[in-house]
Amino acid sequence: MICADIDEEKVDRLCRGEVPIVEHGLERLVVEGLASGKLRFVLGAATASKDSEFHYLCVPTPQGQDGSADLSYLQAAASEIAPVLPTRSVVVNKSTVPVGSTEVVGRVLGRSDVSVVSNPEFLREGTAVADFLTPDRVVIGSSDQEAAIRVAGLYTKVRAPIMVTDPISAETIKYAANAFLASKLSFINAVANLCEAVGADINDVVLGMGYDHRIGKEFLHPGPCWGGSCFPKDTLALARIAEDAGYDFSFLREVLRVNDEQFDRTAQKVIDALGDDVKGKRVGVWGLTFKAGIDDLRQSPSLEVISRLIAAGIEVHGYDPAVKGPISEVPALNVCSDPYAAVKEAEVLVVLTEWDEFRWLDLDQVSTQMAGRAVVDARNILDGHALRRRGFSYRGAGR
Ligand code: UDX
């Protein structure tokens, strides 16, 4: 396998077996692949494609100005490889692209002797290796059955259903899956808000709901709501795709609105815990990444909440096991190198990302460091009873 990138420094590091992101199990695979000679990294897509049978496009499709996906990276990669593609080879699109993009790639390539196949990925950051090796399904979309079957042949060692469909359906599956999961999260956060209003406990509600196999237990943890490099942009892009196709997918706008409102609600809990005049008061935050186990800050709910606190005049100190400051999106945030330093002199401790290590920190040391006695635990991971025993007020999510 030959992997190409346009970033020379990244390619150099990968050639040395250094993975530039936090991704469990990936470095070991890269090191093994390099040592066995089965894996190589090169600069430029044309170098990787000139003698290959399959060409996977895995480029970013960031959010454009109007909410639609920006296809310029995809088009650039397709233009670059078009002249060097061997006859009968297959270009496989892995990037999340608007419905109809498989056809766009075909047009950019302008090669009638080369097939284009859509093969969306469903990997989660942090568990991408495991998700790839044991997927729930493999989706392949192409109008060329023979090419689709050849791509399916690459997955024979993977024990998962392989589904072959047309390219438009394959592209829709990817967006609909992400938007559905985002909707599930907006729904459960709205239920958590209801629990707070009526006095129910979201943990028990989720357990009781999750036993119903039609609902399932996954993706029902409430929090400051959802973020990351995919859900926000893909949910917005799907609403845009629907609009362009003449369907008003107003349901998705509500899903996005609930998410945004949840950031406000979480920030408001902190403001309430601080009391009347919040200006200049100090808050310590644990967790900055958009979820635990990664070093990605893109569209992080934590940074959304922190921005709102800073806008209210609050001084915020934050700690995350995978982040070293400063952070350009929130330059006023003071990034600390350990969790106890982040809560030093703080009136309120706020937990915004569910890193496991936060569960095991020394609450007595936290108590000694802090100036105030309030905890807002937006991920429900701390022991509320243990905190209350130490004189803290404790507010979780939905309980
Ligand atoms: C997502 C999809 O899960 C994956 O299938 C797709 O390929 C890419 O987008 P990812 O962005 O890595 O993966 O993150 P994910 O684990 O889905 O979490 C997204 C957001 O939802 C995070 O902010 C996370 O904290 C939040 N989340 C997730 C919850 O708040 N509660 C949950 O129960 C699950």
Side-chain angles (χ1 to χ4, degrees):
M1 180 183 285
I2 311 170
C3 302
D5 201 279
I6 52 171
D7 182 335
E8 193 170 355
E9 195 202 324
K10 203 180 270 178
V11 171
D12 285 346
R13 287 185 66 186
L14 285 162
C15 287
R16 293 196 298 270
E18 290 170 26
V19 175
I21 52 167
V22 173
E23 191 58 66
H24 184 68
L26 188 58
E27 191 146 303
R28 190 175 60 81
L29 279 186
V30 168
V31 169
E32 277 174 16
L34 288 169
S36 66
K38 286 184 182 161
L39 181 64
R40 279 198 289 138
F41 296 96
V42 297
L43 194 63
T47 318
S49 277
K50 62 180 171 27
D51 298 313
S52 300
E53 184 182 353
F54 298 96
H55 317 270
Y56 274 80
L57 302 180
C58 313
V59 295
T61 48
Q63 194 171 303
Q65 301 262 313
D66 59 355
S68 61
D70 172 357
L71 291 184
S72 54
Y73 296 100
L74 189 76
Q75 287 170 333
S79 312
E80 188 186 336
I81 60 173
V84 303
L85 294 174
T87 296
R88 285 201 72 245
S89 64
V90 184
V91 174
V92 188
N93 185 31
K94 270 264 166 224
S95 304
T96 301
V97 286
V99 174
S101 299
T102 306
E103 219 183 294
V104 172
V105 171
R107 273 204 302 277
V108 174
L109 292 174
R111 293 275 307 261
S112 55
D113 59 332
V114 168
S115 302
V116 187
V117 170
S118 163
N119 177 207
E121 57 87 9
F122 302 96
L123 312 181
R124 290 163 298 173
E125 285 186 36
T127 53
V129 172
D131 288 350
F132 184 81
L133 295 174
T134 53
D136 288 338
R137 78 305 209 181
V138 174
V139 174
I140 296 169
S142 180
S143 39
D144 176 345
Q145 284 294 303
E146 195 247 328
I149 288 163
R150 278 166 64 203
V151 173
L154 298 172
Y155 292 95
T156 43
K157 287 199 178 149
V158 169
R159 291 166 69 88
I162 298 180
M163 159 180 181
V164 176
T165 180
D166 63 89
I168 291 188
S169 300
E171 289 158 350
T172 306
I173 288 167
K174 169 68 199 205
Y175 276 107
N178 269 2
F180 180 81
L181 291 169
S183 308
K184 199 172 175 187
L185 290 174
S186 281
F187 179 82
I188 206 62
N189 277 291
V191 173
N193 298 339
L194 173 74
C195 286
E196 287 177 9
V198 299
D201 184 329
I202 189 70
N203 284 354
D204 289 347
V205 172
V206 162
L207 195 65
M209 285 171 66
Y211 277 123
D212 185 329
H213 68 271
R214 295 169 302 174
I215 297 171
K217 293 192 180 69
E218 286 190 59
F219 269 72
L220 284 180
H221 296 292
C225 230
W226 44 272
S229 58
C230 294
F231 283 177
K233 90 174 163 60
D234 292 350
T235 309
L236 199 63
L238 185 58
R240 188 58 212 259
I241 289 166
E243 196 182 313
D244 290 348
Y247 173 60
D248 178 14
F249 209 152
S250 57
F251 174 85
L252 284 185
R253 281 202 300 278
E254 188 58 17
V255 167
L256 288 156
R257 193 194 62 74
V258 169
N259 197 33
D260 217 45
E261 188 188 83
Q262 198 67 10
F263 301 147
D264 294 339
R265 282 183 69 101
T266 309
Q268 191 57 48
K269 281 184 184 172
V270 182
I271 289 168
D272 291 348
L274 283 170
D276 286 339
D277 189 11
V278 300
K279 278 209 167 49
K281 285 194 176 163
R282 196 159 164 168
V283 158
V285 169
W286 286 351
L288 305 173
T289 51
F290 80 79
K291 64 175 172 178
I294 56 167
D295 59 349
D296 197 340
L297 293 165
R298 284 177 290 175
Q299 304 273 306
S300 170
S302 175
L303 299 190
E304 289 283 350
V305 174
I306 289 169
S307 302
R308 284 158 172 77
L309 298 178
I310 289 171
I314 297 164
E315 187 184 321
V316 186
H317 295 249
Y319 165 76
D320 189 289
V323 179
K324 290 189 177 56
I327 297 171
S328 56
E329 293 92 326
V330 269
L333 167 71
N334 302 283
V335 180
C336 305
S337 54
D338 85 85
Y340 302 109
V343 296
K344 196 168 181 340
E345 309 288 321
E347 301 282 335
V348 183
L349 158 63
V350 193
V351 181
L352 292 174
T353 312
E354 73 287 17
W355 287 94
D356 218 28
E357 68 171 67
F358 297 157
R359 296 173 200 270
W360 321 116
L361 292 174
D362 180 351
L363 295 180
D364 291 323
Q365 198 174 334
V366 170
S367 176
T368 314
Q369 294 286 331
M370 283 179 67
R373 285 285 168 278
V375 173
V376 174
D377 178 7
R379 297 277 187 173
N380 287 347
I381 61 166
L382 298 187
D383 181 345
H385 297 297
L387 282 160
R388 286 192 186 105
R389 274 202 306 278
R390 287 168 175 81
F392 282 92
S393 71
Y394 173 81
R395 259 189 102 177
R399 48 214 284 250

